[in-house]
Amino acid sequence: MDHFTYRGGALFAEDVPVAEIAAAVGTPFYVYSTATLTRHFQLFDDALAFADHLVCFAMKSLSNQAVLRVLAQAGAGMDVVSAGEYLRAKAAGVPGDKIVFSGVGKTADEMRLALEGGIRQFNVESEPEMIALDAVAQSLGLVAPITLRINPDVDAKTHAKIATGKSENKFGIPISRARDVYALAATLRGLKVVGIDVHIGSQLTELAPFEAAYAKVAELTETLRADGHEITRLDLGGGLGIPYARSNEAPPLPSDYGAMIERTLGHLGCEIEIEPGRLISGNAGLMVSKVIYVKSGEDRDFLILDGAMNDLIRPAMYDAWHDIVPVVEPAPGTATARYDIVGPVCESGDTFAKGREIPPMVAGDLVAFRSAGAYGAVMASEYNSRPLIPEVLVHGDQFAVIRKRPSYEEMIARDSLPEWLE
Ligand code: LLP
């Protein structure tokens, strides 16, 4: 469920007509719903009520300060993967003890920053990283709380580019070597092992792969405890998928996911952390774009939008489907037309949808891409020298620009000429 609905023939974001935002900020733009963000956070928080827990928002999915502030105020922690994300989380008011640091290639500088600023735990992904973190912590006279991310060798049954839990993936420590690596960790004075971490992939639409991975985590917890390690915290990653094509997809609900966690891991008495990104932010955002031209090709019609692959790269990168809906609700019974929906960037890959059935459009009409809150704005670029598009946050009947569109001058002024070219 989200808060983007038609009322009286117009698409609204909560209580604000989307067309009104378009008139105020110009197109294309992203718009996020506060109520949807907090609702989705709450669903996870409630689903884990059976245990001590912390829902750490995977802010790689959507990292605008205002969005982080909304979630932090609702009680969320943050899952960060870089110094930049760590500093953004801090700037949004998230305390260090609610920030977990994930990622396969943390640098010594990033470790130092987080240790000095305060951190809940590092999710360590390899022996070399563990040794580096131990050295940094000792040099600061600190002890770094860690989990080890284990790779359970489970098929997440998702797009290959976002599956992370198979042994061929670069992530985590093979579960077969986990005991040895935990034994090594116990000898390092700069580290304190607190638990186990696992994340098997993103946009999972079934519970079975999670359950298979978590069953392995349960078994490993018992083994490591028998070896004398204190395992008090389980970080179960993110990955629960959302319905991109609303007409025919129904992934499991957070409540089902929570019940499965309780079933597989509840008996261990551990604190539970999860790192959902997409399920919190995905359906909380639209990308709104305008039709520039309707062009007739040899055998098809093209809808050429002012938004492009640089603004929303998911279709080009993962062949992702996004529902695309008109901002003016079509009259009941309106016949659909068929379009290839494309952007103006100079590559054929700049195609959002092929042969998509939507109501007939004319130049100047607005369309909204649904489920664009996650991995939309954060993956945007200025390819073709198209300035990053603005982000807007809605709260009830209010809206505010939370990242403005840079002017062309600002964009160009980021380059500098070397002396010899001046
Ligand atoms: N934790 C870790 C360690 C992760 O690597 C990720 C996502 C998450 C949590 C959050 O996963 P989520 O709940 O959002 O599925 N750009 C791609 C998705 C990349 C996901 C990367 N890691 C896309 O647009 O589909």
Side-chain angles (χ1 to χ4, degrees), residues 104 125 149-176 197-204 208-214 216-217 235-239 275:
V104 72
E125 298 215 16
R149 176 170 176 181
I150 54 124
N151 183 324
D153 195 22
V154 161
D155 184 353
K157 302 209 178 77
T158 185
H159 191 285
K161 284 186 184 159
I162 53 176
T164 56
K166 284 289 285 173
S167 57
E168 72 236 34
N169 301 130
K170 69 182 174 185
F171 300 97
I173 291 159
I175 194 159
S176 56
D197 171 46
V198 69
H199 169 79
I200 57 172
S202 194
Q203 186 54 16
L204 273 69
F210 286 116
E211 190 159 358
Y214 298 169
K216 291 191 178 190
V217 170
D235 181 333
L236 303 177
E275 304 167 349

Side-chain angles (χ1 to χ4, degrees), residues 140-361:
L140 296 171
L142 296 170
V143 174
I146 65 160
T147 67
L148 295 185
R149 176 170 176 181
I150 54 124
N151 183 324
D153 195 22
V154 161
D155 184 353
K157 302 209 178 77
T158 185
H159 191 285
K161 284 186 184 159
I162 53 176
T164 56
K166 284 289 285 173
S167 57
E168 72 236 34
N169 301 130
K170 69 182 174 185
F171 300 97
I173 291 159
I175 194 159
S176 56
R177 296 220 332 268
R179 284 178 83 182
D180 291 346
V181 185
Y182 272 88
L184 173 62
T187 67
L188 301 175
R189 282 185 298 121
L191 306 181
K192 160 119 184 69
V193 172
V194 296
I196 305 174
D197 171 46
V198 69
H199 169 79
I200 57 172
S202 194
Q203 186 54 16
L204 273 69
T205 51
E206 296 168 31
L207 288 184
F210 286 116
E211 190 159 358
Y214 298 169
K216 291 191 178 190
V217 170
E219 201 184 313
L220 182 62
T221 304
E222 312 263 22
T223 308
L224 293 174
R225 282 178 171 171
D227 287 349
H229 302 284
E230 238 183 281
I231 304 295
T232 56
R233 188 180 288 171
L234 302 176
D235 181 333
L236 303 177
L240 194 58
I242 61 172
Y244 278 99
R246 289 168 174 236
S247 48
N248 61 9
E249 287 178 26
L253 301 171
S255 53
D256 304 333
Y257 177 67
M260 181 274 289
I261 294 174
E262 181 172 12
R263 201 165 61 237
T264 35
L265 297 163
H267 61 287
L268 297 166
C270 287
E271 183 184 5
I272 303 289
E273 277 170 8
I274 53 170
E275 304 167 349
R278 190 189 314 264
L279 202 138
I280 292 179
S281 56
N283 285 328
L286 303 177
M287 184 183 80
V288 179
S289 186
K290 188 160 73 186
V291 177
I292 311 178
Y293 299 115
V294 183
K295 168 175 167 170
S296 299
E298 175 110 277
D299 60 351
R300 65 191 68 207
D301 290 336
F302 295 96
L303 217 52
I304 304 178
L305 305 182
D306 61 358
M309 65 189 288
N310 69 298
D311 306 311
L312 176 64
I313 202 168
R314 302 194 68 262
M317 193 149 169
Y318 314 108
D319 298 314
W321 173 287
H322 285 264
D323 281 348
I324 302 172
V325 299
V327 166
V328 174
E329 188 177 25
T334 308
T336 56
R338 231 177 133 79
Y339 300 106
D340 280 13
I341 303 179
V342 303
V345 160
C346 308
E347 321 197 2
S348 297
D350 186 20
T351 297
F352 291 120
K354 285 204 161 137
R356 186 70 67 94
E357 300 269 350
I358 61 168
M361 294 276 140

Side-chain angles (χ1 to χ4, degrees), residues 59 63-73 78 85-95:
M59 58 177 279
S63 59
N64 188 291
Q65 290 290 289
V67 169
L68 301 186
R69 177 68 63 90
V70 165
L71 292 170
Q73 284 182 351
M78 295 291 153
E85 286 196 350
Y86 178 84
L87 291 171
R88 263 178 193 273
K90 283 309 246 345
V94 184

